[in-house]
């Protein structure tokens, strides 16, 4: 489409067969011609809103930036849909060189890559920021890091090297202690007491292996199932802070020693659990109007929009609310009376005399 941000490719021949493979946050499509010709590949990054959909060709979804048509009659279209246009694709079959092994499909290589490079300066940062470094945690994003740290009760702003070196020591001690156990008992112990790197594999696996298809963008029920699956991210009662990169991290308890200075953690209001029949005051701020319009967004964008709107609402309404509170307190301190009061004689001050007013 004209709005697509990826490069054009030399697509020739009548038809191709498409195969797909994923690695971390990237997806590679390989197009093999059914006739003569050599295969070619495209590597995709999805951004916040990118996805593939198979739909009837006459009724394409909006923002379908790349389309592969079937030979059926009527044809269908496999579309790369990206509302926010943060996604991209490039020609060639090479993965991005700066990304490490996939947390899902290359778990052992991923684990070794982290533990053997703990002297890297990337681990001088808080653990919540290190978890978004795709050189070591390829596939972990914002909601996954919150869920992983919450399950282990690790403060998000604890130093990453401190957390991971302790994990390395625990692993060595566990090997010595469990050397006499059978394999089944060792597996049970690991399953009942997972460490951080193991959860980087098993938590995203819960999402993609769920029978409810938590990320199907065409069904609002699946968005509800995704919200029910979340234990920390955007959950009412949890605290949140912006990290040093400006990304919001959700957590419970203390933030940790490396928390950004001058930023107080705040708790998400439990408005999702409120009684829908309870009377509420009418709000006419800009943020409320934006929030009402945001309710019409597709379900898969609602999590991101909710977080953004809450930030904007707080920024817009804090100052006026303080002003109104002062006015209310002043009004409460001087109640109105319908009976006339006798004039009170007061000493005339110099200031009032200059202004021509002699009453107190």
């Amino acid at each position: 489409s004209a709005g697509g941000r990826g490069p054009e490719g030399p697509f020739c021949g009548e038809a191709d067969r498409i195969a797909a493979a994923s690695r971390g946050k990237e997806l590679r499509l390989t197009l093999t011609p059914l006739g003569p010709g050599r295969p070619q590949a495209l590597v995709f990054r999805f951004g916040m809103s990118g996805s593939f959909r198979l739909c009837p060709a006459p009724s394409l979804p909006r923002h379908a930036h790349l389309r592969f048509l079937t030979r059926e009659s009527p044809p269908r279209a496999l579309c790369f849909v990206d509302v926010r246009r943060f996604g991209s694709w490039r020609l060639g079959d090479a993965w991005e060189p700066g990304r490490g092994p996939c947390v899902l499909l290359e778990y052992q290589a991923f684990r070794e890559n982290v533990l053997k490079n703990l002297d890297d300066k990337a681990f001088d940062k808080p653990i919540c920021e290190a978890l978004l470094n795709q050189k070591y945690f390829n596939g972990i994003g914002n909601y996954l890091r919150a869920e992983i740290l919450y399950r282990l009760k690790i403060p998000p702003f604890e130093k990453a090297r401190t957390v991971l070196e302790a994990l390395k020591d625990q692993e060595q001690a566990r090997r010595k202690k469990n050397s006499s156990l059978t394999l089944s008992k060792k597996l049970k112990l690991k399953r009942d007491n997972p460490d951080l790197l193991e959860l980087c594999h098993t938590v995203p696996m819960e999402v993609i292996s769920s029978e409810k298809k938590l990320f199907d963008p065409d069904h609002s029920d699946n968005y509800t199932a995704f919200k029910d699956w979340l234990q920390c991210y955007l959950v009412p009662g949890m605290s949140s802070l912006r990290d040093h990169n400006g990304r919001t991290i959700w957590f419970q308890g203390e933030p940790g020693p490396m928390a950004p200075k001058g930023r107080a953690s705040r708790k998400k209001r439990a408005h999702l659990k409120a009684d829908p029949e309870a009377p509420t005051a009418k709000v006419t701020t800009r943020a409320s109007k934006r929030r009402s319009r945001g309710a019409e967004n597709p379900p898969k964008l609602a999590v991101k929009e909710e977080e953004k709107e809450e930030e904007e609402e707080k920024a817009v309404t804090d100052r006026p609310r303080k002003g109104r509170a002062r006015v209310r307190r002043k009004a409460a301190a001087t109640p109105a009376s319908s009976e006339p009061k006798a004039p009170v004689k007061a000493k005339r001050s110099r200031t009032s005399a200059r202004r021509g007013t002699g009453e107190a």
Side-chain angles (χ1 to χ4, degrees):
S1 73
R5 303 176 69 176
E8 295 187 9
F11 296 97
C12 55
E14 292 186 4
D16 295 88
R17 178 178 287 108
I18 300 179
S22 65
R23 184 175 186 266
K25 289 194 172 186
E26 295 180 293
L27 180 81
R28 180 171 62 205
L29 295 187
T30 302
L31 285 74
T32 304
L34 297 181
R38 294 190 302 175
Q40 61 177 330
L42 303 171
V43 176
F44 288 80
R45 293 178 61 183
F46 290 86
M48 288 174 63
S49 62
S51 67
F52 275 97
R53 301 191 202 178
L54 185 64
C55 53
S59 56
L60 292 175
R62 294 183 62 189
H63 308 287
H65 299 306
L66 187 63
R67 308 149 192 171
F68 300 96
L69 301 177
T70 66
R71 287 209 259 185
E72 301 167 304
S73 182
R76 289 183 295 169
L78 177 66
C79 306
F80 177 66
V81 182
D82 187 13
V83 176
R84 299 191 177 188
R85 297 179 63 193
F86 291 160
S88 63
W89 67 84
R90 64 182 185 275
L91 299 174
D93 61 356
W95 304 112
E96 189 175 342
R99 292 178 178 267
C102 176
V103 296
L104 284 173
L105 305 177
E106 304 166 299
Y107 170 68
Q108 288 301 330
F110 149 71
R111 187 180 185 92
E112 293 172 5
N113 185 45
V114 172
L115 294 180
K116 74 180 182 182
N117 289 294
L118 290 181
D119 56 345
D120 192 302
K121 62 181 181 181
F123 299 105
D124 291 335
K125 297 182 177 181
I127 185 62
C128 66
E129 295 176 19
L131 283 171
L132 296 185
N133 188 332
Q134 300 300 295
K135 181 180 178 181
Y136 296 107
F137 297 90
N138 187 11
I140 301 299
N142 201 19
Y143 84 91
L144 285 172
R145 68 169 177 173
E147 297 299 312
I148 290 166
L149 294 175
Y150 170 77
R151 294 191 187 191
L152 294 174
K153 308 302 178 189
I154 296 175
F157 291 96
E158 185 65 64
K159 191 173 184 178
R161 186 177 292 108
T162 303
V163 174
L164 294 167
E165 282 181 344
L167 182 155
K168 196 173 182 180
D169 296 337
Q170 290 170 7
E171 183 176 2
Q172 292 174 352
R174 187 168 59 183
R175 284 180 181 176
K176 293 179 180 178
K177 183 179 179 181
N178 301 334
S179 59
S180 60
L181 296 178
T182 61
L183 179 60
S184 60
K185 289 185 177 181
K186 288 180 182 180
L187 292 175
K188 185 178 184 302
L189 280 173
K190 288 186 70 173
R191 185 174 61 250
D192 296 341
N193 302 282
D195 61 35
L196 185 141
L197 297 181
E198 288 168 349
L199 286 184
C200 287
H201 171 76
T202 57
V203 173
M205 189 66 77
E206 289 178 14
V207 180
I208 65 171
S209 61
S210 170
E211 295 179 358
K212 295 182 179 180
K213 296 182 180 178
L214 299 180
F215 280 126
D216 188 341
D218 295 326
H219 297 89
S220 59
D221 291 344
N222 292 343
Y223 171 62
T224 303
F226 175 64
K227 285 202 302 182
D228 291 342
W229 175 82
L230 293 170
Q231 299 179 31
C232 178
Y233 182 77
L234 284 176
V235 172
M238 295 295 164
S239 301
S240 66
L241 268 176
R242 287 191 181 274
D243 63 21
H244 297 90
N245 299 318
R247 303 289 300 276
T248 301
I249 175 68
W250 298 85
F251 61 95
Q252 186 179 53
E254 294 298 321
M258 298 184 72
K261 295 181 179 178
R263 301 182 190 177
S265 62
R266 57 188 183 84
K267 287 194 174 183
K268 182 173 175 61
R269 297 188 302 275
H271 61 274
L272 295 178
K273 304 294 184 181
D275 182 2
E277 297 180 1
T280 55
K282 186 175 181 181
V283 181
T284 57
T285 62
R286 292 182 182 179
S288 66
K289 295 177 182 178
R290 283 195 295 271
R291 190 166 62 251
S292 63
R293 289 197 298 268
E296 302 174 0
N297 288 340
K300 69 172 187 171
L301 298 180
V303 171
K304 298 294 181 184
E305 291 296 335
E306 184 176 359
E307 180 178 1
K308 181 180 177 183
E309 295 292 345
E310 185 175 301
E311 295 287 346
E312 293 177 351
E313 180 187 2
K314 186 175 186 299
V316 170
T317 58
D318 267 355
R319 287 190 297 274
R321 195 175 291 146
K322 292 178 182 177
R324 290 196 299 271
R326 285 196 294 269
V327 172
R328 285 196 297 269
R329 285 197 297 269
K330 185 175 179 182
T334 57
S337 175
S338 58
E339 298 180 30
K341 292 183 178 181
V344 179
K345 294 183 180 181
K347 188 175 181 179
R348 185 175 178 132
S349 65
R350 292 182 181 180
T351 304
S352 61
R354 282 197 300 270
R355 292 178 181 173
T357 58
E359 295 178 2

